[in-house]
Amino acid sequence: MIIGILNGPNLNLLGTREPHIYGTATLDDIHARLVEVAAELGVEVRSAQSNVEGLLIDTLHLWRGVVQGVVVNAGAYSHTSLALRDAFTATSLPFVEVHLSNVYAREPERRHSMLAPAAIGSIVGLGADGYEFALRGLVATLRRHS
Ligand code: DQA
C-alpha cells in the first residue's frame, strides 16, 4: 500500500513559520518520521508540497491509481478550495485532513474546512504528531475496508 502525503501553501516554511503556532519541526522532519511510521506499518509514503492550488490538484490526478489514500494538510486552501475537494472526489482518493494548529480555536475564517465533508476524518491541533496519527488512522481504515 502506498500513501500520499500532500502539503499545501506555506508548509514548506515549517520550522521557522510562526513556531508558537506551528511548532519547530520542519516538513523534512515530519516526512522523516512518516517514513519510519510507514515502515512500521508496512506501507510506503510519497510526499508532495506546493504553494499552487492547481499543482496540488494535478498531484492528486497523478496519484490516482498510484496511491491508495492521502494524508493532506492543504494549509489555507483547506478553508477555500472547492476545487481541491472536487479533486479528491473526482479521483476517489480517500483522505484524512490534518492541521497542526487547532483551527477551531483560531480566527473564524479558519473554522470551516472545504475538505472535511469529503474526508474520512480530521486531526487538528496536535502539531506535527497529527501527521503520524493521520497516517495510522488512514492505513487502519483502508485495511478494515479492503
Ligand atoms: C494549517 C491551518 C491553516 O489555517 C493555515 O492556513 C495553514 C496551516 C495548520 O496546519 O494548522 O497554513 O493548515
Side-chain angles (χ1 to χ4, degrees):
M1 184 186 293
I2 306 177
I3 302 295
I5 312 293
L6 189 62
N7 280 285
N10 301 305
L11 294 166
N12 53 312
L13 299 183
L14 283 180
T16 56
R17 177 191 179 195
E18 298 172 278
H20 57 291
I21 298 175
Y22 299 117
T24 53
T26 66
L27 207 49
D28 281 350
D29 295 335
I30 290 170
H31 182 64
R33 176 66 190 141
L34 290 177
V35 168
E36 282 177 10
V37 174
E40 182 203 314
L41 296 173
V43 302
E44 260 180 63
V45 284
R46 296 274 161 85
S47 248
Q49 186 275 333
S50 179
N51 296 318
V52 180
E53 186 177 14
L55 291 181
L56 296 169
I57 292 166
D58 283 346
T59 299
L60 291 178
H61 293 183
L62 289 171
W63 278 352
R64 183 167 55 160
V66 175
V67 306
Q68 283 68 57
V70 177
V71 171
V72 58
N73 182 350
Y77 290 139
S78 318
H79 313 300
T80 61
S81 183
L82 181 57
L84 191 55
R85 183 170 87 206
D86 282 351
F88 276 109
T89 51
T91 56
S92 302
L93 282 169
F95 68 98
V96 173
E97 178 181 11
V98 177
H99 294 287
L100 295 137
S101 63
N102 179 358
V103 285
Y104 299 106
R106 299 183 63 193
E107 307 96 303
E109 57 271 27
R110 293 185 203 277
R111 290 181 202 154
H112 177 262
S113 166
M114 291 299 270
L115 303 184
I120 290 175
S122 308
I123 295 185
V124 307
L126 300 180
D129 288 346
Y131 286 85
E132 173 181 340
F133 303 147
L135 178 59
R136 289 183 185 280
L138 177 59
V139 170
T141 303
L142 293 175
R143 285 189 169 148
R144 218 169 21 245
H145 292 171
S146 72

